[in-house]
Amino acid sequence: MLRKYHIFIFLILFSGLLRPIFCQKYQVIEHTELDELDNAFIYTIIQNFDGYLWIGTSDGLYRFDGFNLNKYTKADSLADNFITCSYRTQKGLWFGHMNGSLSFYDGEKFSKIHAKNNGNSIANIVESPDGTIWAATFTGGLLQLGSKSIRKTYSFKNEDITIYSLCFTTDNEVLIGSYDGIRMCKLNHQEKSISILNHSTEIPKTKIQDIKKKKKLPGYYILTQDSGIYSIYLLNNQIRSEQLNQKINLPYGIQAFTEDKNSDIWLGTFGHGIYKISMANDSTAKNIVQIYSDYQDNATSNYKTLYQDRDENIWLGKYGSGLQKVVNQTFSFSSFKNQHYGTSITAIWIESDYKWIGTDKGVFRWSVSTNKQLDLSVIQQDIPNDEVSALYADKKYLWIGYIQSGIYKINRLTNQAIKVHIHDGLLENNITCISGSDTNLWIGTKKGLCNYNLKTDSIHWFTINKGGLPHNSVKHVFIDTEDRVWVTTLSNTLTEVANNSLKRIRISSERTVVTLESIAQDVNGNIWVGSAGKGIFLVQKDSIVNLTKNEGLYSDYCYALIGDSLGFLWACHRGGISKINTTDFSIKSLDQLADNKKIKDFTPRALFLDEEKKLWFGMNNGLLVYNPKNENLEFAPPIVNIKSIFINNQDYPIKKKIKLSPGKYKLKIDFIGISLKEPDKVKYQYRLVGYDDEWSDITKNNSVTYPRLTEGSYTFELNSSSAEGITTSQPKKIQFIITTPFYKRFYNYIILLIILTLLIYTYIKRREFIYKHEKLSLEQKVQERTLKIQKQKKEIEKQRDLIRSKNNDITASLKYARKLQSSIAPPEELLIKLFPEHFLISKPKDIVSGDFCWYTETQNLSIVTVADCTGHGVPGAIMSILGITSLNDIIINYGIINPDRVLELLRLKVITSLSQHSKEGPSLDGMNLGLCVIDQKTLNVQFSGAINNLVHIQDGILNIIKADRIPIGFSYHEDRPYTCNEFKGKKGDIIYLYSDGFQDQFGGAEDKKYSSRRFIKTLHSIHNKPLELQKKALEDILHNWMNDKEQTDDITILGFKL
Amino acid sequence: MVKYVIIFFLSFTQLFLKGQPAPASDENIPFLVTFGGNSVTSWGDDDFCQVFFCIIPVDYTKPVYIRIFDPEIGGKYDENKGAFDTQVSFSVYGGKSCWSDDDAKSIDPIGNYKSGILLAHRMFGEDAQYDDSWYTMGPFNPLEGEYVEKFGGRILKIIAQGVSGDDGNLYTYFLSTDPSENKEIEGGNIFTYEYTFRLANNKNHISQIYPFVDDKTISIEVSNFDWDNDGVIRIISVSKNGVLCDISHEDNWIKREFPINEEEKNSTIEIQFIKNQKTLIRNNNVAIVVRNQYGKSLPFFVIPLGGVPVYTPKIRMENIN
């Protein structure tokens, strides 16, 4: 009774232990970014070749790129907002509508196809083996679709059949599912009719929800509304079937199904959630599990459609409550907490029929066949409640190592537990690990390594003293695929046991204490050793590779190590796990599972690789199972798409080649790499060939802006990589050509050169023409001018001749006038008489002179004057004649000898003669003169001057007798009597009378007047010379001063000695 | 005009009435009845087919369910003729023409009366699982129904059809928002053009149904089938206070025409079925149709549009002199 009671308690305690752990785990994700679909009725889901997921609902079509949802409606040229079905072809996507129309999306835009089927809803779209696309209407037969059009309509011959589903078996034969079962039908292309070959009796006459061709095996799956799923094949147009749910219990209300890449079948139901049928290789159902159901609300647990995308996600289209995604969980965790067995899983041994679990308080087992816990209560009293440190099973016994209680073995047939005595010592019964082969059991203890011979039951110990074990505390014993026995101890030395001798391999050369822990072998046969504090070591023949936290390990403390069948090595740490690719040593660490549960601590060495290649990890709070079958190793790279192109902030249609007119452009490109598995982990690398020299850094940014692009050819290349690091094989490319401006094109340079050449040529030619024209014109003008000049020359010559003649006449008359002037003047002999020593320089500017020298002798007085008449030439000569005649009258005829009086009278005469009292404006003609009256006896000299001074040099002293500044003639300024200057001369004094011609002569280096002062100095400088030489000197000075310049005025100088 | 009146009444009734059972509790009709296809009409079903239309308001876009109480044929309520051997199918139709097709509105199951798209179909025979319990059809997307502007909503059609056997299937409907319990759709309604139902086995029970008379109706013709002299059938409206109809006998139709006054137009009239007070006639099944002057059937709404009619007497004043 008590025993039964114990059994009852045990069953109570044991029931429910780890139940979820033995099921494949999936996680159903509600995408928050899909809120817009929350209340949507989803009828179809399909992924196009660009990677976008298209979701057809009763209120529009949605496109999902992993982040954003775009809605398309009739406003976007969709034929109707109610989408009933879809189909993908290489050319695009077909969508069927409730109103009987179809839409085709070619990657850029939608095209409407309206069928003349009286609004008969499109039930399905399929493709026949020859590639023809067919649309089934509910009651209007089949529509053969062409490129964006309906080619033909096929109707049933004799009856109206409602079509819910169809699948072509050949080009002309099609399985059609209706509400009353399935029919094998044949198309008559001439009559455009559908004839029924066979109405299957093997499939119940219930609604056929869907028909799908098997992906890998021949045959078809038929989904019925009420009678489950059938696997069928065709034999002579007869349908042979097998019901899948003979072994499994299918849920009610199945609405949709899909076959995944592993040939397993997913079911969507109304009201009962999602199920998955695991299929055997022979197309029979192995088992069925419910993946998900919203138990809280049946109304939201309606699944209308299912779809597996290229990343092997299963998408669930719900009926009235949106979209979900099923993620395959490679890890499944089951928490463990039991009053009887504690909380930690410390040892695991998995067999095909039993799963043995060691805990911190004992051991229990689980039946694989019944998926239930088994009663071990009969032996619970025979085995200790100690912590189990190791489990090992051979054909007959399960060996249990306890942390304190030594070794026990349980006979698996009789469930009899036997204590195995290996030593009397305490530490020798502290078991740390057990490993074994057919003949030997290797038991690690805290006091050495025990070799237990299974055939002879003999025991052999290896310790520090026996065999030379590096340390007595054994951490792990591992037998590799070559039956080599590897041992780690509390040391840095790995030990290999061979032929009862130990071979020591020092793993770490560091002198610090390093403890080696777990040993494992990868698929390539390499031995790996985990350590406490130094990471993991790969032991090779000639070297040791050390992987640490620096290389990406979650931690340097590795408590358990195991290799899986896929080439990965798994290292268990506190709070995390490291997955090491043994090929390239890349490491991926994780500290939480897909359901965001944090990983806690792993139990040392509590792990197991079972026959199904599943990894079992013991943890301090439960059991973790890794199923490599759920790992999608066929990683697909993201599909790269250009979302939008903005040129100068304007949205631009996306094309493979974009040609732009010349200019400067701001280019912005938005792109996306679609990976629906983990869209937020997609990374990008891009470059603009022609602008960027190198690829960009790897980034998660999905937009790039080039602020200033000028003419040239650019190619935007974009790569993306998935969360698994799989990169697109070929970059997405878009070419941008910004046309070179006309003026920058090469041929335009040539054209420009030609034009320039032509211009220059034209210019030159024009210039030449102009020159020629001008030349001709000039020549003509020259000719004309020449003629004119010649004419003028002739005229001039004529004039010249006339002038010459006149000149000759004038010259002759002047010469004659000079003769007359000379004849009027006193004779030269008188001058010599009066002044034996004298010189007279008379240099008229013209033939006749305006200057004159007049002298006479009267009353023993010598009267001499040098006058300078206004003007020169003829006027001067006339004036001089007036002067001479006037002087003759005054002095000779009237006998007036006072010089001042003479000048007065002379002035009066001139004014009178020249009528200078005229009121009309007197002329200023007249003369300047200096008159000197010399008493030859007394040498008393009287002088009066009109403008012209007298120079008297006596004893070398030059004295200038100033003349009055009153000309002989009219003057506006002064009108007073002339002054009579008188001085006493003496013999040898030299007196100079002169006109202003010498001093006013221009010349010299600076073309200036000779000046009065210089003239006086000249006279003073030469006064000592004989008078003849003085004349010569003055003439030379004048000649040199003039230097071939024209004579300015008449020059008259009279010098005489008293 | 008619459509605005109907929409107004539907909106009005939405404020007060939320239940969409068919028959409604106000009608005091225990069950609808449909006999097996091999049955005889003398048992009260003239065509072994019953067509109902469900109105889902246009602004209601969540899944709806049509729940059927006791859909199987056997067990507690159904009428057996020998051993239960009857199969009755329940089919729900939506899509364009599910209501607008003239055959759909016909009282006889001929022609294209199954117009529209078959959304759900279920055949019932004797099945203890659904005896005295509910079976839920759906969910249905309201957008799959046919939009009818004058009803201000979308229409789903449910046809109960006797396929084989001769037993009578007694059942009721409920238009629900929930698959597992009866939760009415706010503003929803159910109507039919031919009512075939079971009268209560209680002579004190008065059943009533509510045809709607539009403004184009100047007269109605009330037809009943297989009344079996089970009391009287009378009409109550704003201007008719218990006008008696002719009553049919075993296995025959009888009809009588009544004029419609101005004040009766665009209103609901009530047809009362008052059982024979002297003799209890058990398990009496009856079919009734109301047509207008053009022979078109008038719809019976389970929730009377504009409410139950109340007779308003006219007091005639005569000059004393």
Side-chain angles (χ1 to χ4, degrees), chain A residues 39 41 43 58-59 82 98 118-121 138-139 162 164 179 207 225-226 252 270 297-300 302 319-320, chain B residues 61-63 65 94-96 114 116-122 129 135 138-145 177-180:
Chain A
N39 296 313
F41 291 83
Y43 286 76
S58 57
D59 189 29
F82 199 131
M98 187 71 169
N118 196 26
N120 213 322
S121 178
F138 270 102
T139 56
T162 300
Y164 284 103
Y179 69 92
K207 180 181 174 185
Q225 178 180 263
D226 306 315
Y252 293 107
F270 272 177
D297 187 358
N298 285 338
T300 61
N302 302 321
Y319 200 65
Chain B
T61 56
K62 292 179 180 174
Y65 302 84
K96 191 177 176 183
K114 293 180 179 178
I117 296 165
L118 180 59
L119 301 179
H121 173 85
R122 177 68 195 256
Q129 182 183 356
Y135 172 79
F140 300 106
N141 179 358
L143 292 176
E144 287 187 281
T177 63
D178 193 281
S180 55

Side-chain angles (χ1 to χ4, degrees), chain A residues 758-811:
Chain A
L758 284 172
L759 282 174
I760 293 170
Y761 178 78
T762 308
Y763 177 73
I764 290 169
K765 283 293 176 187
R766 180 169 170 75
R767 286 287 302 270
E768 194 178 337
F769 172 77
I770 291 169
Y771 287 149
K772 281 182 180 176
H773 183 73
E774 284 180 352
K775 187 183 173 186
L776 284 173
S777 175
L778 285 173
E779 281 176 354
Q780 193 175 351
K781 279 183 181 175
V782 166
Q783 254 182 347
E784 288 173 359
R785 294 281 169 85
T786 305
L787 287 172
K788 196 174 178 180
I789 288 168
Q790 282 176 346
K791 194 176 176 183
Q792 285 176 342
K793 185 186 173 188
K794 283 180 183 177
E795 185 68 24
I796 289 168
E797 283 175 351
K798 192 177 174 183
Q799 298 265 342
R800 181 199 65 192
D801 293 343
L802 183 61
I803 289 167
R804 186 178 290 170
S805 171
K806 293 282 184 185
N807 192 43
N808 288 340
D809 292 344
I810 291 166
T811 306

Side-chain angles (χ1 to χ4, degrees), chain A residues 905-930:
Chain A
L905 292 172
L906 181 60
R907 187 181 178 217
L908 189 62
K909 265 189 168 289
V910 169
I911 291 170
T912 304
S913 300
L914 296 180
S915 301
Q916 289 180 334
H917 48 73
S918 171
K919 290 180 181 176
E920 294 176 358
S923 68
L924 294 177
D925 295 328
M927 65 190 76
N928 302 329
L929 62 81

Side-chain angles (χ1 to χ4, degrees), chain A residues 476-531:
Chain A
H476 194 206
V477 181
F478 180 79
I479 301 175
D480 69 13
T481 52
E482 296 175 13
D483 282 338
R484 294 177 296 181
V485 179
W486 300 90
V487 183
T488 53
T489 59
L490 188 64
S491 69
N492 61 354
T493 302
L494 175 68
T495 307
E496 181 185 354
V497 184
N499 299 324
N500 280 335
S501 64
L502 302 182
K503 179 184 172 186
R504 296 160 61 139
I505 303 169
R506 175 171 282 192
I507 296 298
S508 174
S509 60
E510 293 184 28
R511 294 186 177 182
T512 54
V513 177
V514 174
T515 304
L516 299 182
E517 290 279 348
S518 184
I519 310 167
Q521 188 176 29
D522 65 25
V523 287
N524 299 317
N526 296 315
I527 296 297
W528 296 74
V529 184
S531 75

